[in-house]
Amino acid sequence: MKLWLVAWLCLASLAGAQFSTPRTQADMAALLANGPRVAGTPAAQAAANYLAQQLQQAGYSLQLHPFTYSRERDLGSFVQLGERRLEGNAIAGSPAGTVEAELVVVPGVGQSQDYAGLQVTGKAVVVRRGVITFLEKARIAAQQGAVALLILNNQPGGLLGTFAGDGPIPALGLDAALEGLLQASQGQPVRLEVRTQRQEVQGRNLIAKKSERPQAIVGAHYDSVPGSPGANDNASGTVTVLELARTLANTPLAQKVWFVFFDGEEDGLWGSRRFVSDFQEVLLGLKAMLNLDMVGVQVGQGLGVGGDNDLLALLSSNPETIRPLGSSGGSDHVPFAQAGVPVLFFHRGLDANYHRPTDQVVQWPLLASTALAVENVLNELLLPR
Ligand code: BES
Ligand code: ZN
C-alpha cells in the first residue's frame, strides 16, 4: 500500500473516532436543550448564542447577519359543526376571519367540472386534496360563488398547506378521517374560523471566518420546525459543520472557507436567500457552496450528494459510497445554485421522524463520515497538489 494512502486511512479513521466526543455530544445537547429552534424564538436565539461562542473559542471571527421577514401563525383554526368543533389548519395565505355558511361536499378535488349541477353561491365547499394546487381549488371555488373552502387530506392525518401567495377565500385543511362526518352534514350550517396572525420574525445567520474573500462556503441551517427537536433536521448538519470548523481552524483551509449557519430555512430558505442577496461580491469568488441538511440518519444506501458535476467528481475516491441525488431538494444550497454558484448538497434521505416530535437522535459515525466527505471536497478543490 502506498504510504500516503496509509497515512490518509489513519487520519480518516482518526477523524471518525474523534467525532463523537464529549465536545460534539455537548453541542448536540446544547442545540436540543431549549426545544424546537423555530426562527425568531428564544430557543433559536440560544442556539445562535451557543454556536457563536463555540466558533469564537475555535479562533474564528464571528459575523452576525441579521434579517427580518414576516411569517403567518395559526392561532387555532377550526370548523364548528353543530356541537362539534373540527380542528383544522389554515392554508397559509388564506384570509383570516369567520364565515357562516351552508355546507356542500363537492364530489372530487375541486376542478370546475366537479361543480356541475351544484349550486354553491354563498356556501362553504368541501373538496379533496390532489390533482390541482390549493390555490387553483380556491380560485375555482370562489368563481363558483363559494365563500369558504375546506380541503380534506387524501391520507390519514391533518393537512398543512400553503397557497404560496394570497388566497381568495378563507380556507382550512382537514384530516381525511372527517370525510364521513362532512358527507353526513351536507346542507347544514357551519361556522369556519380562520384565526391567523402575521408576525415579524428576527432571523440570524452566523458566519465564522478567518478571511474576507472565501473560496468556499460550508453551511447548514440550525433552525427547526415547531413541535420537532430537529436532531437530524438539522442539528446533524449544524454539529458536523461546527466540528469541521474546529478541526480545520489551524489549517490552510480555514483561510479559504466561511462556515455559515443559516436561520429561517424552514420558513422558506430565508437565511440563505438573504445571504445571497446581501453578499453578492462574496458569491463572485466562490468555487463552491456545500450544504449539509439531514446527515445523521441513514435512509437507503450511501451518502446522498447532489449538485454540480465537477464538484461531484471530487468525491470519486471518497471512502463512503456516494449516492447521487437527482433533484437536489429544498434547502439552503438552492438560492446559491440559482445565483450561479456551484453547489453540493449532502443529505441522507427523509427519515420517518422528519418534522416530528420524535426527531431526537443521530448516529455519530454518519456525521463523521459526512465531515470526511466535505473535507475531501475542500482539499481537492482548494489545495490542489
Ligand atoms: N431538510 C428539510 C427537507 C429536505 C428534504 C430538503 C429533502 C431537501 C431534501 C428542509 O429543512 C425542509 O423541510 N425544507 C422544506 C422546504 C423549504 C423551502 C421550506 C420542505 O422540504 O418542505
Ligand atoms: Zn432541513
Side-chain angles (χ1 to χ4, degrees), residues 173-320:
L174 294 172
D175 193 325
L178 296 170
E179 177 159 12
L181 179 62
L182 292 170
Q183 289 281 7
S185 311
Q186 289 256 30
Q188 292 189 22
V190 294
R191 189 173 87 249
L192 177 80
E193 289 202 20
V194 174
R195 304 198 310 133
T196 54
Q197 196 182 55
R198 294 213 73 82
Q199 55 181 189
E200 279 296 295
V201 178
Q202 176 67 64
R204 296 174 184 87
N205 293 333
L206 300 173
I207 304 163
K209 58 184 177 183
K210 289 191 182 230
S211 73
E212 289 308 315
R213 292 255 161 251
Q215 296 177 22
I217 282 175
V218 179
H221 75 88
Y222 70 92
D223 65 312
S224 60
V225 296
S228 174
N232 191 33
D233 187 11
N234 183 31
S236 66
T238 304
V239 172
T240 304
V241 176
L242 171 59
E243 183 61 9
L244 253 175
R246 288 182 182 126
T247 55
L248 297 180
N250 299 312
T251 74
L253 282 178
Q255 302 299 325
K256 300 175 183 248
V257 178
W258 278 10
F259 300 91
V260 182
F261 299 82
F262 295 104
D263 198 1
E265 191 271 355
E266 300 287 6
D267 288 326
L269 313 179
W270 285 97
S272 47
R273 289 195 285 132
R274 288 296 162 80
F275 186 98
V276 163
S277 62
D278 291 349
F279 290 88
Q280 295 276 337
E281 291 110 276
V282 168
L283 294 196
L284 296 175
L286 291 181
K287 293 180 178 161
M289 190 278 178
L290 312 180
N291 179 35
L292 283 63
D293 194 351
M294 305 179 77
V295 294
V297 176
Q298 189 60 48
V299 181
Q301 293 280 305
L303 170 59
V305 188
D308 182 83
N309 283 328
D310 293 340
L311 291 177
L312 267 171
L314 302 179
L315 283 164
S316 56
S317 55
N318 190 64
E320 184 183 359

